[in-house]
Amino acid sequence: MSWQAYVDTTLLGSGNLDKAAIFGIEGPSAWATSADFTVSTWGVQRENSPQHFHVLISRLQIAPAEIKEIIAAYNDKNDIKAVQSDGLHVAGERFVVLKSDDRSLYGKRGKEGVIIVKTQKALLVAHYPETIQPGAAAQTVESLADYLLKVGF
């Protein structure tokens, strides 16, 4: 199965996620993304315009610096990780971190959230809308991560 198929079929096809991407663990290179989840090479620019804010969130642009921030959170071996107090940034927005361990980062902003799971070679980054239960979204991403680990990724 191609990386894009994992995003389209396994993650989005579950109905538990609305945006997803798979990144290489070595850096901010995207292996596959949903149509509305793009990787920005210029970083996210925040403006005061509500229309601009809506476009950023609906397209979920993630900057390479944000991927580096996520990787740094995994490399932080302190009992209380910096990401737990600073939050997690995706698409220029801060998510409160609910879970942070060697494998998974869960962030929430209002009723929506992000699930990020690290495998040996990949980062699975997924977003769930307010209409989805966080547990269902987490189970979908964690199951794909289990499979990828089993096959050496």
Side-chain angles (χ1 to χ4, degrees):
M1 186 178 282
S2 72
W3 293 111
Q4 192 61 51
Y6 287 127
V7 168
D8 296 339
T9 305
T10 307
L11 296 175
L12 298 180
S14 71
N16 294 326
L17 304 161
D18 63 348
K19 300 169 184 71
I22 300 174
F23 295 91
I25 195 74
E26 296 299 323
S29 64
W31 293 354
T33 65
S34 59
D36 50 5
F37 193 153
T38 59
V39 180
S40 168
T41 57
W42 47 268
V44 175
Q45 298 291 322
R46 296 179 73 184
E47 295 180 9
N48 293 331
S49 164
Q51 293 83 8
H52 183 73
F53 173 79
H54 177 72
V55 169
L56 284 177
I57 295 305
S58 68
R59 292 200 63 218
L60 200 63
Q61 291 183 330
I62 188 164
E66 292 171 330
I67 294 296
K68 289 177 183 175
E69 177 184 324
I70 292 166
I71 292 169
Y74 283 112
N75 292 332
D76 185 347
K77 302 302 179 195
N78 293 314
D79 287 339
I80 299 175
K81 296 181 177 192
V83 73
Q84 291 170 297
S85 58
D86 298 341
L88 178 66
H89 296 88
V90 176
E93 294 302 315
R94 182 180 181 274
F95 288 80
V96 174
V97 174
L98 304 176
K99 177 181 180 177
S100 175
D101 60 30
D102 291 339
R103 174 181 159 129
S104 305
L105 292 170
Y106 295 2
K108 190 161 177 138
R109 190 174 66 87
K111 293 183 179 182
E112 67 179 330
V114 291
I115 307 292
I116 303 170
V117 182
K118 182 180 88 165
T119 68
Q120 292 172 350
K121 299 179 182 178
L123 279 176
L124 309 178
V125 181
H127 176 271
Y128 62 89
E130 62 183 42
T131 57
I132 299 297
Q133 290 295 318
Q139 178 63 34
T140 300
V141 183
E142 296 281 358
S143 293
L144 177 57
D146 288 340
Y147 171 76
L148 291 175
L149 285 166
K150 188 173 105 177
V151 298
F153 277 94

